[in-house]
Structure formats: structure tokens, C-alpha cells
Amino acid sequence: MIRFVLADLRRLWAASLVIVLLVALATALGVAVTLQERALRLGSARAADKFDLIVGAPGSETQLVLSSVFLQPAALPLMSGDVLTRLTADRRVAWAAPIGFGDNFSGYPIVGTTTALVKGTTTGFTGGRMFALEGEAVVGSGVDLAIGAEVKPMHGAAGEGGETHADSAYTVVGKLQPTGTAWDRAILVPIQAVWHIHGLGEDHHEDEAHEEAGGEEHHHGHIDADAPLVEDFSHDVPGLPAVLVKPKTIADAYALRQAYRAEGGTRAVFPAEVLTSLYATLGDARTVLMYVAYGAQALVAAALMLIAVIHVAQRRRQIGALRAFGAPRLAVFGIVWLELLLLVGIGVGAGFAVGYGAAEFLAGLFTAQSGVRLPVEFSHSDALMAAAFLAVAALMAALPAALAYRQSPVEALRA
Amino acid sequence: MLPLALSDVAISFPGLAEPVLAIDALSIPAGGRLAVTGASGSGKSTFVNLISGLTRPDRGTIAWRDTDIATLSESGRDRWRAANVGLVMQEFHLFPGLAAIDNVLLPARLAHAATAEVKTRALDLLARVGLSRPGQSVETMSRGEMQRVAVARALLRRPGVIIADEPTASLDAEAGAEVGRLLIELADQEGATLIVVSHDERLTERLGRRIRLAAGRVVSDTALEAAR
């Protein structure tokens, strides 16, 4: 029977190919949506994994997470530098590090921070070493700069036009191992350099919103490239957009969040919690897209039924002859059923491959832009989805097969 | 080989007052030869359908030895036909894309009856009908060769009866003569009863007996002297 089915499909290869393509595309649509949504969820969760607690000025919690964890350019309000002073002194805190934005270089955000953050959120260096002077920089694995390269910071967020800080430059001294987060695309410099370059720190311009790109009234300073690294935040800390806090225990994390949420002038968020609410939105989008995919699949299924029924009608003579020459009715049913199921099966298989490829491609584009690595992977539920597709196909293929089964050979041959 | 006995058989089609075919009594001994002639619409095809179990009569018995196929279910008649009847039709009903040998074996394979012995026999039959290339694809064959493949297919499962419906009508004279000769020769060798519906005088005159149908009735039944 298989041999006959294969010979038949080979003879009708063009039509078979079209059917396989239709099924593959409809399947790929659903698979790509499912895989991509899962990849976004897993990827963003992994990217936020090292970011236990973020403290910032009151404002949008979502924006605070997007800007600090995903380094999305945005003007964050500043909070008083005293917050960092108090956090570093807090017994419940393992380490706390400032995150200062504002400049970029060739589209890479320049982030001012501390050695504690670099050590705490990365797995180490692939080359070079940690910054030790004010004019030294460490780059993420996704930054296309070699050790020794010079970085002239541009004022303003990545992607926006901005003036250069003409007299200031960093030297790349280390390259980090990949982390699969947005920070892979960041140039990390000592926070004191960011303060100095914007004329902060010594002059206590704590209220200045230094993120506002294009503002004309900046007190431009410059970095002292050979100044030693100072990571003492016990007094006179300038205003800050965000502080990453590593609490000692989970209980400490909740206590800290409570403390800095209640307090005026600050806001404390668990990025994981903010992401969870984003996932709900993502899930809604996925649901909508899945209904679109289901609609496409239903259309393809209906078209396939039409093709199958017409095909059986066109081949009544052949089917009648099979019966007349001694093929059992069940064999006739089996041939039609198997041919359809085989085509749908190949289509579903190809659809999973195409869907996976499409999701990988989109994830690649996303990673190139944001630095966040999206893991495109199948799970058990996908096997269930494939099984469900095939089960529906098996049921639907039974209809034309039953038509062939019921057809009288005499009437078929008389035509 | 199977003997056939029809008695009181009649079949009508909806909307027609007269039965399309009515045969009070007809019998053929095991291994007998019968030619059936008649104008188109005389009931020849209905006759073939009835005795091969493709259709069931409204009444009467169609007994092949001890089996009255008029009482069998549709699937039962399918099974009986597969095991007992070798059918050759005007149209060859070969399946394009399959080799000659695969066409011969197809019905047996679909019925899960293609044993090693059956496969050997298929090759042997192809040789006996004069086809030397069993792997040849049927769509590359001449019409005469195609009908010879169909004859080999009909004989595969050692049927007790060979029923041929206008086996030479779509062939040229030479190929038709060859197929007619093969049918008679193989029926002899295999010891099968042979029933041929045909207009082809050169074929029917070589069979032992001829009945003529008109308007669904047997109007003449002649024993032919010149058989063989």
C-alpha cells in the first residue's frame, strides 16, 4: 500500500508540494508565535536574573526596569545620592552599585557603575581586566571594540544625535564574557567618570537632569583619565537614576523593597515582578496571534478538505477499478487516508522546522539590537501541539477516505 | 475451475419499468467457455457486473459452484471476487507510475495476499504473456502490452473463472488477436472457466458456446462447432 501511495504522490508531485507548503506555512505561523513568545519570556527573565532589586526615583516602575536591566534609552528622573550612601551602609545589603547613563559611543550605551556590579553580574573577562582608573572602560562581549581602543563618549542616549565630549576619552582595558543580557552591548566605565564628564560630583549639581539629551545648559566637565578609582559613596554622592541592590537574603530583599518603597523620593522594584506583569501583556498578544494562526490553519484545513473531496471524485474510476480487481474496501479507505495524512504529516514537520527557523531569525535580529539573547527552544507542549495537528488531520482525512470507501465500483466504472 | 448456475435472476434500475436483465436459467460447466454478444444496451455489462459480484440482483441466485454470490454482502462479494474472479476490461485500469510487475501485484498487495509464491507467479505470468521487462513503467507501453499486463494481473491469484468485458475492443486487430489468443491459452493452462463479452467475431468464434442478449434477455444460445 505504501508503495502505491508513494507512486501516487510522486505522480502528483506538484499538487502534493502545494499541499505540503500550505500546511507547512499554516503550521509555521503558530509555531513561530509560540516559540518567539517563549523565547522573549525566557530571554528577558534570564537577562533580569542578576538584577535582584532596583532602587530609583519615583516614576514608572516598568521604565525603571527597562532602562536599568535592558538599558533602554529614556530620561529617568534622578534621586538623591544619599540613597546610595545609605544603601551601601545597610547591613541587609551585600553590595549596592550606581547605574548612571547618559552617553553613548557608536550606538553602544556607556554605563557608569562600579567594580562590584561588574563582578556581581558577569562571569568574568575573556580578555583584559577590570577598570582601575577613571579613564578606563570595560566592554561587553557584544561591543565591537578591541582592548586598547579609545572611546570618545557622545552625549545623549544611543541612537540620538548628540555632541561629543571633545576633550574626554576612555581606553578599553577589558572585555567581558557573554551574559546574554542587554549589558553585553554596554561600555562600562567608573561612575565617577560619568559624574565628572557632566560636571557633577565636586560641584554638587545634584538636581541636574543630566539625561536630557539636546539640552543646552550642561555644565560640561571632563574626565581625569589617570585619576585613581574611588568607590567610596559615604558622602557627597551626586544624583542618580538607579541603584542596583544585591540583598543578603530573600527576607532582606523584601524588607529593603518595603523600606525604599515607602520612603519619599525613592521607589524600589523587583525586576522579576515587573516582568511578570509585562508577560501578561505579552501573553495577551500571543493569544491574539495564536487565534490568527488558528484561523489560518482552519482555512488551510478547509481548502485541503475541498481539494481532497474533489480529488476523490476525480479518481472515482481508479478507485472503482481497485475494488473491481480485488482490493478490499478498507485498503481503498487506507490509501486515501494515508496519502492525505502523509502530506499533512510532512507539512507539519516542515512547518515546525520553518517556524523554528523564523523564530531563530527573529531572535537573532532582536539579540543584535538589544543584546538580550533569546533562547528559541521546543518544550513538551509543542509535541502536544504537533500531535493535536496530526490527530485533527487524521480525523479530517477520514471524510474523503470514507467517500472513497462508500463509492460503488460499478457506478465508478460505468462513467 | 468454477461452474456457474443462474436461476430466476432479474435486476431493474430505478425509473425503468422493464428489468435491464432477466435470465431464467443459465448454466456453464466448470472449465466451460462462453461468449456473450449483443448490441449496446442489451444488458451485457450488467451481466458482467452480476456474475462478477460487482452488483447484486433484485432476485434470483447466482451460484458459482456452492456459493450464491447474490446473498453475499458488498465486502463479502469483494473478497469472493478477489479470490475467484480474474477480470479483464476494455479499459486496462493500470496505474500510471507503477511498473508492470507492481501493477500485476497491486490488488494482491492491497489484500495482503502477495506472498513470495505469488510474486514469483507474477513474474512467470508476465513472461507467459510475452513481456520480458517486468520493471518497465506501464505508461511507456503500447496498448497491446498494457492489456497483456492486465491479463497477467487477472490470472495472478489462480481464479476459478476469467471474465473479460470487451478485452480487444480498444486494441488494433493484431494486438487484439494476440490478447484473445492469450486469454484462451491461459484459461486452458490454468483450467479456468472463461466468459468473454465481445463483438469480436474472431475471438467469440473460438469459444465453445455463444449466447446473444437483446433487451436484457437471452435470445439465442448456440454451441459452436468450430471451437479451437
Side-chain angles (χ1 to χ4, degrees), chain B residues 176-187:
Chain B
E178 172 67 9
V179 165
R181 185 188 64 75
L182 275 171
L183 274 174
I184 293 167
E185 182 184 303
L186 288 168

Side-chain angles (χ1 to χ4, degrees), chain B residues 122-135:
Chain B
L123 288 170
D124 174 51
L125 280 168
L126 280 175
R128 280 159 74 187
V129 299
L131 295 171
S132 54
R133 291 169 55 204

Side-chain angles (χ1 to χ4, degrees), chain B:
Chain B
M1 60 186 80
L2 290 172
L4 171 68
L6 273 69
S7 80
D8 195 26
V9 168
I11 182 167
S12 316
F13 287 159
L16 293 178
E18 289 294 304
V20 218
L21 189 67
I23 295 174
D24 297 330
L26 177 71
S27 60
I28 303 162
R33 305 274 175 266
L34 177 71
V36 182
T37 63
S40 75
S42 60
K44 297 193 306 283
S45 292
T46 308
F47 180 74
V48 167
N49 291 342
L50 280 175
I51 62 172
S52 61
L54 284 166
T55 33
R56 199 143 68 161
D58 297 337
R59 60 184 162 84
T61 57
I62 302 172
W64 284 101
R65 200 184 299 279
D66 303 324
T67 309
D68 179 6
I69 60 171
T71 64
L72 296 179
S73 69
E74 188 164 350
S75 300
R77 279 180 279 128
D78 278 358
R79 270 194 301 279
W80 175 84
R81 184 173 55 252
N84 295 290
V85 179
L87 211 51
V88 178
M89 299 198 200
Q90 178 175 347
E91 299 288 329
F92 321 127
H93 294 295
L94 298 177
F95 290 82
L98 290 181
I101 181 73
D102 292 324
N103 261 290
V104 171
L105 284 168
L106 181 62
R109 280 194 171 130
L110 291 179
H112 299 292
T115 59
E117 188 263 327
V118 168
K119 287 175 194 164
T120 316
R121 177 169 164 79
L123 288 170
D124 174 51
L125 280 168
L126 280 175
R128 280 159 74 187
V129 299
L131 295 171
S132 54
R133 291 169 55 204
Q136 188 182 358
S137 197
V138 288
E139 59 262 40
T140 64
M141 291 181 158
S142 71
R143 297 184 65 81
E145 287 173 323
M146 286 170 144
Q147 189 64 304
R148 281 188 271 156
V149 174
V151 169
R153 173 177 62 188
L155 283 155
L156 181 67
R157 292 178 70 185
R158 302 185 191 278
V161 56
I162 299 167
I163 301 173
D165 187 359
E166 299 285 8
T168 61
S170 64
L171 304 177
D172 61 42
E174 194 184 338
E178 172 67 9
V179 165
R181 185 188 64 75
L182 275 171
L183 274 174
I184 293 167
E185 182 184 303
L186 288 168
D188 275 346
Q189 289 171 4
E190 300 286 324
T193 306
L194 177 63
I195 299 175
V196 179
V197 174
S198 181
H199 289 99
D200 187 346
E201 283 285 331
R202 287 179 308 156
L203 175 54
T204 55
E205 72 189 5
R206 295 174 64 191
L207 303 172
R209 176 182 172 195
R210 173 159 62 196
I211 63 171
R212 198 160 71 81
L213 294 176
R217 306 256 164 198
V218 179
V219 291
S220 77
D221 188 342
T222 334
L224 298 172
E225 304 294 322
R228 256 164 272 158

Side-chain angles (χ1 to χ4, degrees), chain A residues 257-309:
Chain A
R257 182 176 68 144
Q258 192 57 39
Y260 284 85
R261 184 153 68 176
E263 191 173 321
T266 58
R267 160 163 309 237
V269 298
F270 292 143
E273 203 173 80
V274 172
L275 285 178
T276 304
S277 68
L278 285 180
Y279 295 158
T281 314
L282 199 61
D284 290 345
R286 174 184 176 271
T287 306
V288 170
L289 287 175
M290 278 315 278
Y291 278 122
V292 173
Y294 291 146
Q297 282 151 11
L299 278 177
V300 166
L304 220 58
M305 290 296 276
L306 185 70
I307 293 171
V309 168

